[in-house]
Amino acid sequence: MIELLANHVAGRWQHGTGPGTELRDPVLGTALVRVDATGLNLPEAFAFAREQGGAALCAATYRERAAMLGAVAKVLQAHRDSYYDIATANSGTVKTDSAVDIDGGIFTLGQYAKWGEALGDVRVLHDGNAVRLGKEPVFQSQHLQVPRPGVALCINAFNFPAWGLWEKAAPALLSGMPVIVKPGTSTAWLTQRMVQDVVNAGVLPAGALSIIAGSSAGLMDALQPFDVVSFTGSAETAGVVRAHPAVAQRSVRANIEADSLNAALLMPDAEPGGAAFDLLVREVVREMTVKSGQKCTAIRRILVPTASYAAVAEAVSAQLARVVVGNPRNPEVRMGSLVSRAQFDGVQAGIAALGAHTDLVYDGRTRPLVDADSAVAACVGPVLLGARDADKASIVHDVEVFGPVATLLPYNDLPHALALAQRGQGSLVTSLYGSDDKALAQAAVALAASNGRVHVVTPAVATAHTGHGNVMPMSLHGGPGRAGGGAELGGLRALDFYHQRSAVQASPEVLAALGC
């Protein structure tokens, strides 16, 4: 029998009492480990996190909690090589893709450790200056940000088992809230190992970090009014989270990141063969193939001037044809697998659905896999679709295929392009490619209301921009509408979600004494 991974709740390691779910190598098909949360005492787990972990974190200052994050980063760095091995086996990713997840998570922790250090030895944050409430300055109002006296439940998706944990946990822990993480089941091994290493190192107070690997049944039931839940996943599951009594009736604060039909837009001034044109082609290919397209920020729609449609199709197809797909253990392979055969089947079905309304521009599925059995491996070659009538092909603005798939769409003029981008009904990110600074700025402002992030690429930043799909801790991650309406990261803005804003109305003398 393969190993059953332990959950860490109520300050101790505990195994589920059920048969569990097998996690498999998505390339070889072999069983790796099992996860199970059956029989866990969830009320006890949440109470321990609130009462023990929360109390210990809130007793520390922001600087002290920042030092804890720095210590966590050092623990993870010491075990980094083992995480790469797990990612290859459980997620089927090549090393560069694993780095996006693993090193991205460690980097995010380091950033919040640095930012938290700058907050100093205080336990309460002042939000603005005190303001008088009457004609005389003897009675004033001071807004504060104080840690919420609850637990942060982080429900994560399968595509980023490392970064998905730490981009939520870092600001939560810095804010003084204990974290209970529920990773995506199919890739939970890496999350569990990271938590295990951190817990065993003793760098966090007991109860500050817990993990439940397995079914999420009952987790939302255990939430109380001062808790928060941060969810990343499908729009369908997001609806369940929003409708749960914990959110709908007990007013548990919820942050949602859901499906997103992100776009890349080639500006009208970007001629084929020019620098901006080449930058779009390069970024589209990268976003289609990094982590096999399994990124919530990946480019799904490519908006180009009608006159450039054929040139973009040819250029992107030529680069996709050089992508070697197969077993990530082979050094020649550039793109590994999807995370499971279930995901493989879903992507194939999605391609068929989009294909009924689009043309097949490039089909990487026809090429043989390297060191992988196509009957077993969850590998899908990149697929570029195209729709000559971007308005009529409404399905491409409604359906996201979570894999190495994108659709090329022509536009008539810039207003038409912006309208097409906005048909995504709210996205995490849209990227713009061109050389006209004024036109790019105007387009960015026009798209800002429907995007959490607008990524503008000009030849001047060709070697400096961080990438359409890379989520940097300094910038907002989230988006309006169908993207979930949530907001994560963005530097210290992320702390807002884990704090309660309150106004203290008192004399200046009392307000001066609040500087604790």
Side-chain angles (χ1 to χ4, degrees):
M1 176 85 57
I2 58 174
E3 178 188 1
L4 175 63
L5 300 182
N7 307 282
H8 188 75
V9 293
R12 62 188 187 276
W13 292 102
Q14 304 180 45
H15 288 97
T17 57
T21 301
E22 282 188 346
L23 308 190
R24 292 185 169 271
D25 185 313
V27 176
L28 305 178
T30 53
L32 301 169
V33 293
R34 291 181 297 137
V35 294
D36 180 55
T38 306
L40 296 182
N41 187 330
L42 296 180
E44 178 194 29
F46 278 69
F48 186 91
R50 290 188 199 99
E51 296 165 11
Q52 301 295 319
L57 288 172
C58 285
T61 66
Y62 287 92
R63 178 174 283 134
E64 289 168 339
R65 294 196 290 265
M68 295 177 194
L69 296 185
V72 170
K74 289 181 180 178
V75 171
L76 299 179
Q77 191 66 40
H79 295 274
R80 179 173 172 269
D81 290 346
S82 67
Y83 303 148
Y84 274 83
D85 292 339
I86 292 173
T88 298
N90 194 189
S91 295
T93 47
V94 296
K95 189 171 183 178
T96 53
D97 289 355
S98 299
V100 174
D101 187 25
I102 297 166
D103 294 335
I106 297 173
F107 175 75
T108 298
L109 272 165
Q111 285 297 125
Y112 277 96
K114 181 177 70 174
W115 293 331
E117 166 71 20
L119 293 177
D121 290 316
V122 296
R123 295 177 179 84
V124 173
L125 298 178
H126 284 62
D127 184 4
N129 297 319
V131 294
R132 64 178 65 181
L133 295 174
K135 184 176 181 180
E136 300 298 328
V138 295
F139 194 62
Q140 301 181 0
S141 176
Q142 172 66 61
H143 286 84
L144 301 176
Q145 289 269 46
V146 296
R148 292 174 68 88
V151 67
L153 172 62
C154 301
I155 305 175
N156 291 337
F158 63 77
N159 54 332
F160 282 98
W163 176 84
L165 161 63
W166 299 115
E167 65 96 9
K168 288 180 170 65
L173 293 170
L174 180 59
S175 299
M177 289 197 78
V179 170
I180 297 176
V181 60
K182 163 60 180 79
T185 299
S186 60
T187 58
W189 189 12
L190 179 53
T191 310
Q192 194 272 353
R193 177 63 63 83
M194 285 183 152
V195 171
Q196 176 180 296
D197 289 339
V198 170
V199 169
N200 290 348
V203 295
L204 292 175
L209 181 61
S210 305
I211 182 168
I212 297 174
S215 172
S216 60
L219 286 180
M220 293 287 293
D221 296 337
L223 292 172
Q224 296 299 319
F226 298 123
D227 297 333
V228 302
V229 57
S230 183
F231 169 81
T232 299
S234 70
E236 180 180 2
T237 307
V240 174
V241 171
R242 286 194 177 95
H244 192 278
V247 176
Q249 299 173 18
R250 298 196 291 276
S251 299
V252 167
R253 186 179 290 178
N255 187 82
I256 304 291
E257 184 214 315
D259 305 337
S260 178
L261 281 162
N262 312 298
L265 195 164
L266 185 67
M267 296 290 284
D269 67 294
E271 297 289 338
F277 178 96
D278 291 343
L279 287 167
L280 171 121
V281 171
R282 184 187 311 164
E283 199 65 13
V284 165
V285 172
R286 176 162 62 180
E287 287 300 309
M288 288 181 66
T289 56
V290 168
K291 291 187 71 70
S292 298
Q294 297 170 115
K295 291 168 56 182
C296 54
T297 54
I299 294 169
R300 306 300 182 194
R301 299 173 297 152
I302 311 158
L303 309 176
V304 302
T306 300
S308 298
Y309 182 92
V312 173
E314 181 180 359
V316 172
S317 297
Q319 290 198 22
L320 290 176
R322 295 197 289 268
V323 177
V324 179
V325 182
N327 191 331
R329 299 166 181 85
N330 189 307
E332 295 181 4
V333 170
R334 178 178 166 187
M335 189 175 93
S337 70
L338 301 171
V339 299
S340 66
R341 285 295 292 193
Q343 186 66 15
F344 173 92
D345 293 340
V347 167
Q348 296 285 19
I351 293 172
L354 293 182
H357 303 272
T358 59
D359 301 319
L360 188 59
V361 178
Y362 176 82
D363 190 357
R365 297 172 298 175
T366 62
R367 300 185 62 193
L369 304 178
V370 173
D371 282 351
D373 183 351
S374 60
V376 175
C379 296
V380 176
V383 174
L384 179 65
L385 303 171
R388 289 285 184 174
D389 189 336
D391 294 305
K392 186 177 180 180
S394 59
I395 190 172
V396 304
H397 306 293
D398 295 329
V399 174
E400 179 187 20
V401 179
F402 206 67
V405 183
T407 304
L408 185 61
L409 302 166
Y411 67 78
N412 301 323
D413 52 28
L414 187 55
H416 184 215
L418 298 176
L420 290 173
Q422 291 163 341
R423 283 185 65 178
Q425 303 173 62
S427 301
L428 295 172
V429 55
T430 290
S431 54
L432 308 175
Y433 303 81
S435 301
D436 185 331
D437 293 342
K438 184 175 181 180
L440 285 164
Q442 292 174 342
V445 171
L447 291 171
S450 57
N451 284 267
R453 180 165 55 89
V454 181
H455 187 76
V456 182
V457 181
T458 62
V461 301
T463 60
H465 78 95
T466 52
H468 165 103
N470 281 353
V471 177
M472 302 298 289
M474 305 82 167
S475 291
L476 174 74
H477 179 52
R482 69 172 291 157
E488 296 177 329
L489 301 175
L492 290 176
R493 294 175 184 84
L495 274 60
D496 290 351
F497 181 67
Y498 305 100
H499 282 73
Q500 178 62 45
R501 179 179 284 107
S502 182
V504 178
Q505 298 173 321
S507 69
E509 291 76 19
V510 171
L511 297 183
L514 294 174
C516 44

